[in-house]
Amino acid sequence: MDLGYVKPDAVTEITKKLVRGGIDLLQLRAKEFPLDEVRRIAQLMVGITQPAGVPFILNDYPQLLTEVPAEGCHLGQEDGSIAEARRWAGRQVIVGRSTHSIEQAVAAEKEGADYIGYGPLFPTPTKPDAVAIGLSGLPKLHDQVRIPIFCIGGIKEDNLRKVTDAGAQRVCIVSDLLTAPDPYAKVRAIKADL
Ligand code: TZP
Ligand code: MG
């Protein structure tokens, strides 16, 4: 759930559609929103994900985990340590880390991350300045890292097969879901393909 694509007023409706469509895990990405607004929207979302049994992860903001009953938080390369995020939370939470190379992935596992993001595989409008790293590292990555690996960046229904053929076991999809005319149908179609 990226607030670059979904207006705050539409978050409840779209979250329900994604969850009903069968999404396995949901993350809130709210870049450049005030903390109070992130907290409010996270609370709304967790009210939908929790009864559905869908883990909900906050991008950034480990400090909000004391107030929002999310399952965890997600840290970028520059976002501080995994241990510090766990201390902020003060309870057992999932902490993930974005990685952009096999070296960063191995380091994140060693540091104690519960999962990693790996990408962007392809150029993406969601992160226009990020350099695409491609599919070629996926077999080696899955050899070297034991924690769950979420491939991300430019993944869409129509290139999903290429990504799974290259070795991906999990995918994170943002714009293809959120710009779909019917996000519910889009999740269903992607889940069916997977
Ligand atoms: N991190 C690496 S790529 C990316 C993030 C947050 C954006 C993924 O969005 P999309 O629209 O699925 O390419
Ligand atoms: Mg971050």
Side-chain angles (χ1 to χ4, degrees), residues 27 29 31 59-61 74-79 98 127:
Q27 179 177 140
R29 189 165 184 266
K31 294 287 175 190
N59 186 43
D60 308 320
Y61 307 114
H74 184 91
L75 306 176
Q77 283 292 309
E78 316 287 327
D79 287 337
S98 294
K127 252 192 170 178

Side-chain angles (χ1 to χ4, degrees), residues 21 157 160 177 182-194:
E157 186 183 0
L160 188 58
L177 292 177
D182 181 352
Y184 165 79
K186 192 68 162 183
V187 180
R188 299 275 299 199
I190 287 172
K191 289 291 303 260
D193 289 349
L194 287 170

Side-chain angles (χ1 to χ4, degrees), residues 65-102:
L65 292 173
T66 57
E67 301 167 78
V68 178
E71 276 69 23
C73 67
H74 184 91
L75 306 176
Q77 283 292 309
E78 316 287 327
D79 287 337
S81 75
I82 304 279
E84 188 184 25
R86 294 197 196 284
R87 277 197 296 278
W88 274 111
R91 61 186 170 91
Q92 194 169 347
V93 292
I94 297 167
V95 184
R97 173 83 84 192
S98 294
T99 69
H100 318 295
S101 66
I102 294 176

